[in-house]
Amino acid sequence: MFDVVVVGAGPSGATAAEDLARSGIRVAMLDREGRIKPCGGAIPPRLIADFDIPDEQIVARITTARMISPTGRAVDIPIENGFVGMVDREHFDEFLRVRAAQAGATRLTGTYLRIERDDAGTHVIYRDKTSGEEKRLATKLVIGADGARSRVGRTEVPGGDKIPYVLAYHEIIEAPAKTAVYDPERCDVIYDGAISPDFYGWVFPHGKSASVGMGTEVDSVDLKQATADLRAAAGLTDCRTIRREGAPIPLKPLDRWDNGRDVVLAGDAAGVVAPSSGEGIYYAMVGGRVAATAAAACLASGRVRDLKLARQLFMKEHKMVFRVLASMQNAYYRSDERRERFVSLCHDIDVQRLTFEAYMNKKLVRARPMAHLKIGLKNLAHLTRLIPASRV
């Protein structure tokens, strides 16, 4: 008998399992072996501090972000007073799983099949990777951290089968030396409808390798061809391809994360990827932490309503950031003309500073009312076309 079974052991599930194990709760962590999610790999300083990430997991330190418009305009935004860390998900996720197991979580490898309930309680049914047999895990609670198309969420949580998402695809390539178009200390974000009609493309350095990819919600887009075009534009066609990966990325947090009985969702399964940026690692790990908090509270009190704490705690801190980013995506990702205006807006020094202060610290910066007012007026001017997109 386990107190909690965590289904999925990416950053969200592994974080939940580790937190529960360190609290003395009997937890099993079930994961399919070998799956690597396509991801740019950026982690802000707050994640590094809050989740005690060691230096050896940081494969690159980014000091500049470059925004590239449909017409090729490039705006470089310096990251002041710090850096954005980059991780390789192949190694980072495994580090988190090993750390959870060292904390006391039971690690199991297999494929989740379903949840069954009877007079004896709740049972997670999975197919063991080694034997191929169906096995049962008796548990009191289940945390579903099994991705954007969560099998746990689809069958157990109301609305869990209706999560909107973009399809993301990237190629990990052997990184070249620094060139006129590639900088190992700079992340490039490409806002170009030729690459993605409704999201963006990216070139993110990972030290000896780099992630080159894009995302879109448009079914007709050929993700592999778009990535090939992006590599050609960035002068990366001849770089050796190490691996290719694709997966859905959710666009909006679910309205409900629990089933009011014995299941709570976390990470991509709950839809917690930041709109506009697509940033997911930090929010996934926070989602795992609040799911663990809710599960621990439910076990201690015996009140199933305590499972609602996961969403309540997350939204209390991050709802406004998600709302602002969703508004920005809706306003500027519609067309190349709007994307051109967005990159033009990024020339503003106040936009640059406030954006990265919010990114690095994971909260909106309220200390500069005049800067916010000026940004708001410029934003309104761009959206109403009172100023041309080419104006800096």
Side-chain angles (χ1 to χ4, degrees), residues 195-236:
I195 300 299
S196 172
D198 58 338
F199 207 54
Y200 64 81
W202 69 82
V203 178
F204 286 1
H206 287 178
K208 294 180 180 179
S209 63
S211 165
V212 185
M214 50 78 67
T216 181
E217 200 176 356
V218 180
D219 293 337
S220 61
V221 174
D222 186 331
L223 278 71
K224 292 184 178 180
Q225 185 58 54
T227 301
D229 294 343
L230 177 55
R231 286 180 64 168
L236 301 172

Side-chain angles (χ1 to χ4, degrees), residues 369-382:
M370 292 307 297
H372 279 286
L373 178 61
K374 186 177 80 170
I375 292 169
L377 291 173
K378 278 195 172 185
N379 186 55
L380 181 62
H382 271 289

Side-chain angles (χ1 to χ4, degrees), residues 3-62:
D3 295 313
V4 182
V5 171
V6 180
V7 178
S12 186
T15 298
E18 181 187 358
D19 281 6
L20 290 166
R22 292 192 185 281
S23 298
I25 292 170
R26 296 166 296 177
V27 57
M29 179 174 60
L30 174 66
D31 194 57
R32 292 185 299 165
E33 193 173 54
R35 181 182 178 277
I36 308 168
K37 182 184 174 182
C39 177
I43 61 172
R46 183 170 174 184
L47 184 155
I48 296 171
D50 286 0
F51 297 95
D52 194 24
I53 305 303
D55 285 346
E56 56 265 28
Q57 287 298 319
I58 310 299
V59 296
R61 287 168 166 77
I62 300 303

Side-chain angles (χ1 to χ4, degrees), residues 85-164:
M86 305 300 292
V87 298
D88 188 325
R89 291 290 297 272
E90 178 181 13
H91 306 294
F92 182 69
D93 289 19
E94 179 63 11
F95 159 76
L96 295 175
R97 289 189 284 265
V98 168
R99 189 165 71 172
Q102 290 172 341
T106 298
R107 185 175 178 180
L108 301 168
T109 303
T111 302
Y112 167 83
L113 298 175
R114 61 191 179 275
I115 293 174
E116 293 182 354
R117 300 175 180 89
D118 55 28
D119 292 342
T122 300
H123 304 270
V124 171
I125 313 302
Y126 74 101
R127 189 174 304 283
D128 182 77
K129 179 177 175 60
T130 302
S131 68
E133 298 176 352
E134 283 195 14
K135 294 191 174 182
R136 298 166 64 86
L137 301 172
T139 186
K140 297 174 183 176
L141 298 174
V142 178
I143 293 178
D146 52 335
R149 289 173 172 164
S150 167
R151 296 182 70 179
V152 176
R154 289 203 306 268
T155 57
E156 295 292 333
V157 176
D161 58 341
K162 297 179 175 63
I163 187 168

Side-chain angles (χ1 to χ4, degrees), residues 40-42 62-69 72-77 79 84 86 176 178-192 195 199-206 210-215 230-231 233-236 277 342-343 356:
I62 300 303
T63 57
T64 304
R66 171 170 287 182
M67 308 297 175
I68 302 174
S69 78
R73 174 207 304 255
V75 177
D76 286 354
I77 303 178
I79 300 170
V84 173
M86 305 300 292
K178 183 176 181 179
T179 67
V181 293
Y182 178 81
D183 186 334
E185 294 185 356
R186 187 189 71 221
C187 282
D188 292 354
V189 184
I190 299 91
Y191 296 100
D192 185 349
I195 300 299
F199 207 54
Y200 64 81
W202 69 82
V203 178
F204 286 1
H206 287 178
S211 165
V212 185
M214 50 78 67
L230 177 55
R231 286 180 64 168
L236 301 172
S277 69
F342 173 67
V343 174
F356 272 92

